């Protein structure tokens, strides 16, 4: 579940290129074309996946805790988006965002002082329960992305001042506080506001059991967590051209041998799973099967919570992060599956060096460790150096990484432990109230670097509670004397709590198009990495394999596009 200081994404991120808004999707749909009659069924496509709804993971594509290939697939097929990412033929590896005319009549910039965008939703656009898709859905997503903890890449939403409704909700006017060149990427995977508002669990829980109300060409028919399968069927209330397939079944299928057998026998047409190099070779050996490594949309990292006064000191953070074996933790996170590495290794310290550094900072042995042969616990003023590493509930990979990191810290004399939290607590009160001094979690990958950095490291304009300054002897040069709250105005999720005004200015310049992406990558990101706030570990990756019985599946596309993007036009043969 799951998308690392975003410097991890420097070498891997796809710098998404904005596109003119007068282009329609590549599928050729037009807002003036009449819906065609759906072909007779059943035409079923089976996609093998790692699992469906494992543990407490949900299907909200805007929550970092829910990030997975299954969540992305379900969202892309069931939820409307003003613009859709497509491969940009003019830029190798690039992405263009094109107006989805099946959903919108138009989307245009209508003003620059202030920067204003107007969307016109098709009159017939409706959710599968009959409710119209309207301005309230845009307003709902904007408010959630700027107030909820644990959301993915909220930076652009934080620049919005107002979302207005007109023409009975079918006209949506969005007013920004600054120019925002990537505005086409906002409001993707729009959620049904009436469902989210009515659910007692709120935004973090409303879509935990699937997207129950659809606004795309498919809808969820049923999900079985025990069997680990989810069935998507053609949405009968969809107002545009119907999907060719009647049903797409996402199902867990097991080992590489079982997956190869399923493609051979046409029991499955697609495979989209985590897997080893051996599993990839097995799939590639099956005649007429194409298989490749598909970059994922999530990356894993360990973040230090510098709201804890001890961690406001740069040298302490350097010692703690330097003592961790980045390569080992990355391998544990991948769990023998293929994964993409971090952009570059952190400064690695031998355990003795890290311990000596802590001793130089004034830490001293307090008492013998209860574990035979382990280092004595270090501390100051009789207070042990205790580190609780927080992880999201039922995230087995994050828990395994955190447990090993805690083992490595304990070998130094740090009283380290691991605690599991509900995702909304992990990214909220656990950081804010210093319940966790570090977290291991996922963040969005494969997108715009400026959006990633501003979303995770910019300063809230108004902290929601008075900050407790660290003692002068705990502050490092360049560190902020006032740790900030992770939930602040503008949708900022500053996980580390270190807020530097000079970086804040650069983040904002990059986000609004005033600082070139190349300069952000070359100059700003290294300065952020030098603050020792986060240890990048790995970027998720999957195995994509397509059998001989299906056509129309895209290969070699950027992660933000994804192999499921053209599912409505797949055909069996």
């Amino acid at each position: 579940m799951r998308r690392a200081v975003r410097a991890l994404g420097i070498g891997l991120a796809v710098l998404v290129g904005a596109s003119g808004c007068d282009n329609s999707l590549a599928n050729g749909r037009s807002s003036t074309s009449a819906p065609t009659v759906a072909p007779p069924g059943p035409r079923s496509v089976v996609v093998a996946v790692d699992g469906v709804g494992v543990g407490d993971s949900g299907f909200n594509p805007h929550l970092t805790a829910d990030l997975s290939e299954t969540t992305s697939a379900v969202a892309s097929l069931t939820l409307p988006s003003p613009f859709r990412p497509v491969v940009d033929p003019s830029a190798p590896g690039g992405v263009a965002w094109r107006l989805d005319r099946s959903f919108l009549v138009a989307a245009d910039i209508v003003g620059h002082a202030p920067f204003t965008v107007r969307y016109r939703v098709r009159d017939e656009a409706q959710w599968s329960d009959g409710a119209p898709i309207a301005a309230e859905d845009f307003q709902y997503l904007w408010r959630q992305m700027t107030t909820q903890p644990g959301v993915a890449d909220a930076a652009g939403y934080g620049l919005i001042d107002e979302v207005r409704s007109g023409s009975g909700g079918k006209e949506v006017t969005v007013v920004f506080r600054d120019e925002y060149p990537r505005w086409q990427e906002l409001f993707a995977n729009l959620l049904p506001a009436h469902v989210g508002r009515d659910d007692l669990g709120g935004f973090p829980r409303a879509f935990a059991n699937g997207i129950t109300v659809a606004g795309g060409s498919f809808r969820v028919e049923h999900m079985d967590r025990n069997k680990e399968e989810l069935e998507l069927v053609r949405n009968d209330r969809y107002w545009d051209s119907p999907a060719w397939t009647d049903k797409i079944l996402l199902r867990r299928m097991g080992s590489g041998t079982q997956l190869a057998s399923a493609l051979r026998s046409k029991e499955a047409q697609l495979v989209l799973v985590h897997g080893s190099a051996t599993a990839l070779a097995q799939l590639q050996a099956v005649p007429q099967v194409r298989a490749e490594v598909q970059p994922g949309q999530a990356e894993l990292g360990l973040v230090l919570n510098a709201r804890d006064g001890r961690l406001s000191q740069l040298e302490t953070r350097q010692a703690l992060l330097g003592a961790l074996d980045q390569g080992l933790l990355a391998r544990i996170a991948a769990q023998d599956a293929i994964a993409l590495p971090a952009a570059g290794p952190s400064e690695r310290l031998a355990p003795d060096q890290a311990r000596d550094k802590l001793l130089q900072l004034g830490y001293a042995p307090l008492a013998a460790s209860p574990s035979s042969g382990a280092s004595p616990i270090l501390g100051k003023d009789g207070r042990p150096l205790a580190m609780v590493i927080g992880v999201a509930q039922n995230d087995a990979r994050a828990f395994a990484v955190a447990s090993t990191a805690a083992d490595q810290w304990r070998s130094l004399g740090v009283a380290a432990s691991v605690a599991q939290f509900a995702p909304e607590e992990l990214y909220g009160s656990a950081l804010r109230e210093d319940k966790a001094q570090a977290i291991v979690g996922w963040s969005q990958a494969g997108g715009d670097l400026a959006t990633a950095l501003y979303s995770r490291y910019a300063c809230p304009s108004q902290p929601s509670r008075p900050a407790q300054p660290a003692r002068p002897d705990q502050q490092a040069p360049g560190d902020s004397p006032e740790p900030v709250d992770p939930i602040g105005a503008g949708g900022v999720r500053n996980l580390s709590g270190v807020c530097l005004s000079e970086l804040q200015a650069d983040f904002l310049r990059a986000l609004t198009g005033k600082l070139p992406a190349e300069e952000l990558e070359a100059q700003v990101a290294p300065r952020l990495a030098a603050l020792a706030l986060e240890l990048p570990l790995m970027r998720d990756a999957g195995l994509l394999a397509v059998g001989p019985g299906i056509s129309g599946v895209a290969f070699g596309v950027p992660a933000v596009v994804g192999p499921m993007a053209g599912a409505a036009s797949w055909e069996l043969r």
Side-chain angles (χ1 to χ4, degrees):
M1 229 186 304
R2 353 63 348 71
R3 249 167 260 311
V5 71
R6 281 311 183 97
L8 151 60
I10 292 173
L12 300 169
V14 177
L15 297 177
V16 183
S19 157
C21 47
D22 59 346
N23 294 322
S24 61
L25 283 174
N27 61 14
R29 289 178 178 166
S30 168
S31 60
T32 59
S33 62
T36 59
V37 177
R43 291 172 171 172
S44 299
V45 173
V46 178
V47 182
V49 295
D50 289 313
V52 172
V54 178
D56 282 349
S57 61
F59 291 86
N60 188 332
H62 302 288
L63 294 176
T64 57
D66 287 357
L67 292 176
S68 70
E69 294 307 317
T70 299
T71 295
S72 297
V74 173
S76 68
L77 298 177
T78 62
L79 297 175
S81 295
F83 289 78
R84 299 279 183 178
V86 297
V87 176
D88 185 354
S90 65
V95 173
W97 289 79
R98 294 186 179 172
L99 183 71
D100 188 346
R101 294 190 180 276
S102 69
F103 176 44
L104 297 183
V105 175
D108 301 287
I109 298 171
V110 296
H112 288 275
F115 186 69
T116 305
V117 174
R118 184 165 296 146
Y119 304 86
R120 175 68 191 182
V121 181
R122 286 178 60 166
D123 290 338
E124 61 270 39
Q126 61 181 305
W127 297 105
S128 56
D129 61 358
I133 303 177
E136 68 167 357
D137 301 306
F138 287 75
Q139 293 167 340
Y140 173 76
L141 185 57
W142 165 52
R143 290 180 182 129
Q144 303 310 305
M145 295 296 284
T146 53
T147 59
Q148 294 288 342
V151 294
D153 285 359
Y157 294 94
L159 295 180
I160 296 174
D161 274 337
E162 185 181 8
V163 178
R164 296 197 298 261
S165 174
S167 300
K170 290 297 183 177
E171 184 177 276
V172 185
T173 302
V174 180
V175 182
F176 295 77
R177 68 176 57 97
D178 205 335
E179 296 281 329
Y180 186 50
R182 309 183 76 88
W183 63 270
Q184 294 100 328
E185 300 172 35
L186 298 179
F187 301 107
N189 295 322
L190 203 63
L191 294 168
H194 60 293
V195 174
R197 285 196 307 261
D198 293 344
D199 192 280
L200 295 177
F203 187 74
R205 296 292 176 181
F207 307 97
N209 291 314
I211 306 298
T212 56
V213 175
S217 53
F218 290 89
R219 62 177 177 82
V220 177
E221 176 71 7
H222 86 271
M223 182 181 73
D224 190 323
R225 287 184 182 270
N226 293 324
K227 291 183 179 180
E228 294 194 59
E229 64 179 29
L230 183 147
E231 182 181 357
L232 296 161
V233 299
R234 188 188 295 117
N235 181 5
D236 294 333
R237 284 189 178 268
Y238 189 57
W239 55 92
D240 202 69
S241 301
W244 185 89
T245 53
D246 300 301
K247 180 171 69 175
I248 296 177
L249 184 64
L250 306 178
R251 173 184 289 166
R252 187 178 188 278
M253 285 194 172
S255 68
T257 300
Q258 292 169 318
L259 294 171
S261 176
L263 289 177
R264 227 179 267 120
S265 64
K266 296 188 179 182
E267 179 186 352
Q269 285 72 46
L270 273 81
V271 168
L272 188 57
V273 300
H274 293 94
S276 64
T278 300
L280 176 62
Q282 282 183 284
L283 295 172
Q284 290 174 329
V286 180
Q288 301 181 38
V289 166
R290 294 181 62 193
E292 67 176 13
V293 175
Q294 174 70 30
Q297 297 188 51
E299 56 194 25
L300 189 70
L302 183 147
V303 185
L304 295 178
N305 180 12
R307 293 166 189 81
D308 186 298
R310 299 163 299 174
L311 297 179
S312 66
Q313 190 173 22
L314 175 61
E315 289 83 358
T316 302
R317 299 198 301 267
Q318 290 173 332
L320 289 171
L321 290 187
L324 298 177
D325 188 331
Q326 185 184 38
L328 173 62
L329 296 180
R331 292 193 297 274
I332 291 171
Q335 296 186 345
D336 298 324
I338 294 174
L340 302 178
S346 64
E347 182 182 352
R348 181 81 169 97
L349 299 176
D352 287 346
Q353 291 176 305
R355 181 179 171 82
D356 288 345
K357 195 164 190 176
L358 291 174
L359 293 173
Q360 292 167 11
L361 293 170
Y363 289 95
L366 296 180
S369 170
S371 301
S372 176
S375 298
I377 299 297
L378 300 178
K380 280 184 181 180
D381 302 322
R383 181 188 176 194
L385 177 55
M387 295 286 293
V388 175
I389 307 175
V391 298
Q393 290 174 343
N394 296 307
D395 188 339
R397 290 202 282 171
F399 184 83
V401 169
S403 298
T404 302
D407 288 337
Q408 293 180 350
W409 278 343
R410 281 193 290 268
S411 71
L412 303 180
V414 177
S417 59
V418 180
Q420 299 185 66
F421 300 91
E424 57 269 28
E425 184 181 6
L426 176 66
Y427 295 103
S429 63
L431 291 173
R432 191 168 55 242
E433 299 171 10
D434 205 19
K435 299 175 186 176
Q437 289 71 51
I439 65 171
V440 173
W442 300 89
S443 56
Q444 189 88 30
D448 173 49
L449 182 60
T451 299
L453 294 180
Y454 191 84
S455 295
R456 291 168 60 81
Y457 295 104
C459 310
S461 56
Q462 294 179 345
S464 63
R465 69 177 176 91
Q468 299 299 318
R471 298 198 311 268
D473 66 320
Q474 293 179 327
Q475 295 173 17
D479 279 8
S480 167
E482 295 189 356
V484 298
D485 191 276
I487 305 172
V492 175
R493 303 299 184 274
N494 194 316
L495 300 181
S496 71
V498 170
C499 174
L500 301 179
S501 58
E502 61 270 25
L503 285 179
Q504 160 84 3
D506 287 337
F507 293 158
L508 188 58
R509 287 172 58 218
L511 191 67
T512 56
K514 302 178 181 69
L515 179 69
E518 297 79 8
E519 186 174 339
L520 177 69
E521 180 176 339
Q523 299 181 21
V524 179
R527 286 161 53 203
L528 178 63
L531 294 174
L533 299 172
E534 185 168 2
L535 182 68
L537 295 177
M538 48 80 76
R539 178 172 171 181
D540 210 10
L543 306 183
L544 170 64
V546 179
I550 188 170
S551 61
V553 181
F555 260 75
V557 298
V560 69
V561 177
M564 303 290 286
S569 59
W570 289 346
E571 292 189 8
L572 298 173
R573 60 178 188 272

